[in-house]
Amino acid sequence: MKKQIIDGIVYTIDQRIENFSVKSKPSSNVAFFGVSHDAANVQLFVQFKNGSSYIYSGLNEHVLIDLINADSIGKFVSSSIVGKFPSIKHEGALVRISPEDICAIERERHGEANGPGLVVNRSGELEEPQF
């Protein structure tokens, strides 16, 4: 899986969307979106803040330009993409904050620049370290 810095935070990009250029734009519903261009198909990846992720296919350049220029990316996706282009729903987030950054953010938030902070368990959840 590749890593990508978005808004100063390192994220892990799922291999299913490694060829997408992933971005973030202020939105109340959309966490991340990305575009993949290949010779035969233009695809759009959208990850909602509730964790659900979709890949839409068959888009054209005009739709992508309108998406990027939209005042509200969530409203645009809802009105101009959902139900108009084929989609595949992926369970869970395809863009995740890297475990190292979760720990660093938690340490910083708790004023523990060099302390143990929280750790990420095998399930990817935060928990207190066990000593």
Side-chain angles (χ1 to χ4, degrees):
M1 291 195 201
K2 81 174 185 178
K3 306 256 185 201
Q4 182 176 333
I5 298 173
I6 303 170
D7 298 330
I9 298 173
V10 178
Y11 290 90
T12 302
I13 308 296
D14 188 283
Q15 64 186 10
R16 291 171 284 186
I17 60 165
E18 283 185 347
N19 62 333
F20 286 71
S21 60
V22 178
K23 301 183 182 323
S24 178
K25 185 175 178 180
S27 172
S28 59
N29 293 318
V30 176
F32 301 99
F33 68 98
V35 176
S36 171
H37 299 270
D38 66 28
N41 192 16
V42 176
Q43 295 182 304
L44 171 69
F45 155 74
V46 178
Q47 180 171 308
F48 294 93
K49 290 189 176 177
N50 69 7
S52 61
S53 300
Y54 294 82
I55 296 178
Y56 299 92
S57 58
L59 284 78
N60 60 53
E61 295 294 327
H62 298 291
V63 172
L64 295 178
I65 291 168
D66 291 345
L67 169 77
I68 292 168
N69 292 324
D71 290 333
S72 169
I73 191 167
K75 286 180 183 176
F76 183 84
V77 168
S78 177
S79 67
S80 301
I81 296 175
V82 173
K84 294 181 171 70
F85 296 94
S87 66
I88 298 173
K89 180 177 183 179
H90 295 275
E91 294 301 324
L94 299 181
V95 177
R96 298 176 185 265
I97 191 167
S98 73
E100 304 85 39
D101 269 14
I102 291 173
C103 292
I105 290 167
E106 286 301 316
R107 282 195 304 271
E108 185 177 301
R109 185 166 52 186
H110 295 289
E112 303 171 4
N114 295 315
L118 299 175
V119 296
V120 179
N121 65 23
R122 290 180 184 205
S123 300
E125 300 165 337
L126 289 175
E127 64 182 28
E128 296 290 329
Q130 303 296 316
F131 296 104

